[in-house]
Amino acid sequence: DGKKVIGYPFIIFSLIIYIYFLKINFFPVYLILPYLFLGFVFFVFEVVKKGLARKYFYYFFLIAISVVLASFSYIYNVDSDLFYVKENLILSLILFFSAFSIKKIYKLYDVDFNFKNVVFFASIALAVQLIFSLCVNFLPSLFNVVIKIVNIDGLSSDALQDFSEARLVGIGASFFASGIINSFFLILLSYNINFNCERRNYFLLLTLYLIISITGILFSRTTIIGILLSSLFFLNYRNLFKVSLVLVPSVILLFVYVRGLAESNSQIAFGLDFLFNFEDSQASSSFDGLKEMYEILPDSLKTWILGDAKYKIVSDNGEFLEYYKNTDVGYFRVIFYNGLIGLLFFLLMTFYLLKKSFYFSRFLIFLLLICFLSLNLKGVANIYFFCFLFFVMDSNFEKS
């Protein structure tokens, strides 16, 4: 009906803004701001009506302790920055309150705000973003227009142009950030396909899974972590044969086709060379660089315990230059800013949010946690961009 015609695209558009934290290069810059302000109002109304839920209280408590620790480190260290606080703690609060707007939008269009529907529409949002990004990368004139409008990782248009000559650039989230998003949602989508899917939607969800997996890996090789972990849900007697009838032929055909593209297109080759010839691929040199970063360790007890309150280095006009100590390893970046104590609370809050959001499946929590721990071996990866969508649900699981 008319409500669905308007409601479904608006839900998908809102999820794209929320998940990718879309920024543009002119006012209001952060497209999530209306969702944040309205979400805060909806949160207040919910607290007035029902009282403050215990899970929200403990979340605020963990945030408060993390802020105190970060503040102590910031004050104690003479030369400090606030990038960790802004990009993790404040971002967490922004996404928490904004999730209440997403919840309200679902209800406004008579769509149940539950696990099944959030994963379904979020998967469509990811597929739309990936396909749009793919089209933009192969149309240089459109790419030039889009990067002047959309802010991607704080990089300048010139830097993005340079990147696009060698690899595909995701619109909204690119490189490692794209891999983080793809990996977590592939796990959620795989769970939905295997344990919470209506028969009529089975092949639609499977198609979305294939699109996110194959297109996602072109933009970020890190997507392979999500593919490997999510595939574990398919290893059950009920679905293995049925899925293999679709996945095996599809993967073989796409593998052959995409390999042919990789031989003639450097952007495709960047994302896929490691599958065919790892030793001579860019992924191999990237892996060697990552190994060298593991030799960059704190050189004082103070840094190990409290950190240096330094997270990244930017130019005078705000353009990203490099990470502090020139290391991208997630665990060490948190330690360098906030010490081992800060890292402990970073891990503790992650586990708490996963436990309260996905209480209905220990194995799902386990895989999401393994994904989180694995991704932080490469760079800083958090779960806020998707977890709060489930954390704020009244009841976030519904059997089909």
Side-chain angles (χ1 to χ4, degrees):
D1 56 24
K3 211 166 190 179
K4 290 181 179 178
V5 171
I6 298 172
Y8 287 5
F10 187 58
I11 289 172
I12 293 166
F13 176 71
S14 296
L15 285 169
I16 289 174
I17 290 175
Y18 182 92
I19 293 168
Y20 292 98
F21 204 76
L22 277 188
K23 293 182 286 185
I24 54 177
N25 291 318
F26 46 84
F27 184 83
V29 182
Y30 296 97
L31 295 183
I32 204 170
L33 286 178
Y35 296 83
L36 170 62
F37 296 139
L38 290 172
F40 181 77
V41 173
F42 297 141
F43 168 75
V44 171
F45 281 142
E46 184 171 312
V47 170
V48 170
K49 184 178 179 180
K50 301 179 181 178
L52 181 64
R54 183 177 297 180
K55 62 181 180 180
Y56 300 159
F57 171 80
Y58 285 121
Y59 161 65
F60 289 138
F61 179 71
L62 288 170
I63 282 287
I65 293 178
S66 298
V67 169
V68 169
L69 289 172
S71 300
F72 187 80
S73 180
Y74 179 84
I75 295 169
Y76 184 83
N77 288 281
V78 177
D79 187 20
S80 311
D81 69 50
L82 289 170
F83 289 115
Y84 175 79
V85 175
K86 290 190 290 186
E87 295 181 13
N88 286 276
L89 303 180
I90 294 177
L91 175 68
S92 170
L93 288 168
I94 290 172
L95 291 173
F96 170 76
F97 290 118
S98 299
F100 286 90
S101 282
I102 303 295
K103 180 178 179 180
K104 189 69 173 179
I105 290 169
Y106 268 74
K107 293 182 178 180
L108 183 64
Y109 291 105
D110 297 326
V111 180
D112 291 335
F113 190 66
N114 56 33
F115 178 88
K116 180 175 63 178
N117 287 334
V118 169
V119 173
F120 175 69
F121 285 105
S123 299
I124 295 175
L126 262 67
V128 168
Q129 186 271 345
L130 288 168
I131 292 171
F132 176 74
S133 296
L134 198 61
C135 294
V136 166
N137 275 268
F138 291 133
L139 296 170
S141 57
L142 181 58
F143 182 82
N144 293 335
V145 172
V146 171
I147 63 174
K148 283 181 170 58
I149 298 172
V150 182
N151 183 297
I152 302 173
D153 297 339
L155 298 172
S156 66
S157 297
D158 291 338
L160 291 170
Q161 286 283 6
D162 292 339
F163 275 119
S164 69
E165 293 177 4
R167 63 181 299 180
L168 295 173
V169 177
I171 305 303
S174 199
F175 317 133
F176 183 58
S178 179
I180 295 171
I181 293 171
N182 298 335
S183 292
F184 280 119
F185 273 105
L186 280 173
I187 294 172
L188 296 172
L189 179 54
S190 178
Y191 182 90
N192 222 16
I193 291 171
N194 287 282
F195 301 106
N196 195 36
C197 177
E198 297 171 355
R199 183 174 297 179
R200 59 190 172 89
N201 290 330
Y202 188 86
F203 290 105
L204 172 58
L205 294 185
L206 207 56
T207 301
L208 289 171
Y209 180 86
L210 281 171
I211 291 172
I212 296 169
S213 297
I214 296 167
T215 313
I217 208 168
L218 297 178
F219 288 95
S220 175
R221 294 183 297 259
T222 307
T223 303
I224 195 70
I225 293 175
I227 295 172
L228 294 174
L229 290 174
S230 64
S231 65
L232 296 178
F233 282 124
F234 290 106
L235 301 180
N236 64 81
Y237 72 93
R238 290 189 309 159
N239 294 303
L240 190 57
F241 176 72
K242 186 165 54 173
V243 168
S244 65
L245 290 176
V246 177
L247 285 185
V248 174
S250 299
V251 169
I252 291 174
L253 289 172
L254 285 165
F255 190 78
V256 172
Y257 176 69
V258 173
R259 184 174 186 180
L261 283 177
E263 292 175 354
S264 60
N265 188 296
S266 60
Q267 294 171 304
I268 300 293
F270 187 97
L272 295 179
D273 267 0
F274 77 102
L275 295 174
F276 312 120
N277 182 14
F278 181 80
E279 289 185 2
D280 297 327
S281 69
Q282 196 279 337
S284 177
S285 58
S286 179
F287 182 71
D288 291 338
L290 183 63
K291 286 194 295 185
E292 292 178 5
M293 290 182 186
Y294 275 89
E295 299 174 5
I296 304 173
L297 299 172
D299 54 9
S300 70
L301 184 62
K302 186 271 294 182
T303 303
W304 277 110
I305 296 175
L306 294 176
D308 295 337
K310 295 284 286 182
Y311 196 63
K312 69 178 186 181
I313 300 169
V314 299
S315 64
D316 292 336
N317 62 2
E319 185 178 346
F320 170 76
L321 297 176
E322 64 182 62
Y323 296 115
Y324 179 60
K325 294 292 186 180
N326 204 27
T327 180
D328 193 17
V329 178
Y331 298 108
F332 292 152
R333 287 188 65 202
V334 177
I335 290 171
F336 274 122
Y337 190 89
N338 225 8
L340 284 170
I341 300 175
L343 177 62
L344 174 63
F345 276 92
F346 179 61
L347 298 174
L348 183 61
M349 185 156 63
T350 297
F351 178 72
Y352 180 75
L353 291 175
L354 288 175
K355 184 173 181 294
K356 290 299 180 182
S357 301
F358 307 104
Y359 60 88
F360 48 83
S361 173
R362 290 182 180 179
F363 190 56
L364 177 58
I365 294 173
F366 173 75
L367 287 186
L368 291 171
L369 188 60
I370 292 298
C371 186
F372 165 79
L373 295 173
S374 301
L375 289 169
N376 276 280
L377 293 171
K378 167 67 175 70
V380 175
N382 61 56
I383 61 169
Y384 310 138
F385 68 91
F386 76 94
C387 207
F388 287 120
L389 293 172
F390 306 94
F391 186 68
V392 304
M393 289 178 180
D394 299 323
S395 175
N396 62 358
F397 190 71
E398 177 183 307
K399 279 286 185 183
S400 297

